[in-house]
Amino acid sequence: MCALTAPKVFDQDEVDGRVIVIESAPADEEVKAVTEAIELCPSGALRLRST
């Protein structure tokens, strides 16, 4: 779900399906999509860390 919800920040490995973070410091305009992706993550493995 995260790669579909925030494709500028997350991708998915084509071989094993694991999520790949492609932008560890998302732009302000991506934060809403990242927050939604975190909420939709079925495993609960994602967190947004503020700096």
Side-chain angles (χ1 to χ4, degrees):
M1 285 305 303
C2 52
L4 295 173
T5 306
K8 292 182 180 178
V9 178
F10 303 108
D11 199 359
Q12 190 167 12
D13 186 282
E14 292 182 18
V15 176
D16 62 15
R18 281 192 274 178
V19 173
I20 301 166
V21 177
I22 56 176
E23 181 54 65
S24 62
D28 290 341
E29 61 268 9
E30 294 299 318
V31 173
K32 183 177 179 182
V34 170
T35 302
E36 184 177 350
I38 291 168
E39 291 171 0
L40 294 172
C41 180
S43 69
L46 301 173
R47 302 225 188 319
L48 183 62
R49 181 177 53 163
S50 60
T51 56

